[in-house]
Amino acid sequence: MMLKARFIFVVQGAVTLTNVSGISHKLTVDSYAYLPPNVEHSLKCDGSATLVVFERRHASLENQPTEQIVGSTDQQPLLETPGEVFQLRKLIPTSIPYDFNIHIMDFQPGEYLNVKEVHYNQHGLLLLEGQGIYRLGDSWYPVQAGDAIWMAPFVPQWYAALGKSRSRYLLYKDVNRNPL
Ligand code: UGY
Ligand code: MN
């Protein structure tokens, strides 16, 4: 059986998450849950909700299980970003058992990534707020809230925020495992 971990983030509306132990959490906008591969759960929605869901075949490590996590973006501390100006929060622990993370990155209009990044990690990105321009390789894409991007390993990447309001994006990144 293929065991997948699941990450859920609420973009709009609300859902109730209940796990096998019968413990329920109401997830509202900006809140999220990480579910280890073996945690059976259900999601219930009374009205409407828009969710981002990532699923990944979990690369487990012996005796290092991952835990269920429920949180919200605004509870997470701002992290250091040496050489960069954007604001960074991480929604999942950075410890070794976790094989991906979800970053929330904020840019004010006119701010941009200083580093034109190239790395083995893949990204899935959803622009939650604002607008700007994303460079992928030699192509430049105008993007706005609601747009999604998949970035393959080693694709050169760069973002500049435009418009009159904050840009915020949610970014999946595989970490802590040898990609080969
Ligand atoms: O952490 C990252 O790889 C992130 N700075 N990449 C990105 O925003 N495209
Ligand atoms: Mn990157």
Side-chain angles (χ1 to χ4, degrees), residues 86 103 105 113 117 119 123 134 151 157 169 171 173:
F86 61 82
H103 298 185
M105 293 173 55
L113 283 172
E117 299 175 14
H119 49 61
H123 288 314
Y134 229 102
M151 287 174 245
Q157 54 199 256
Y169 61 71
L171 189 78
K173 183 171 187 173

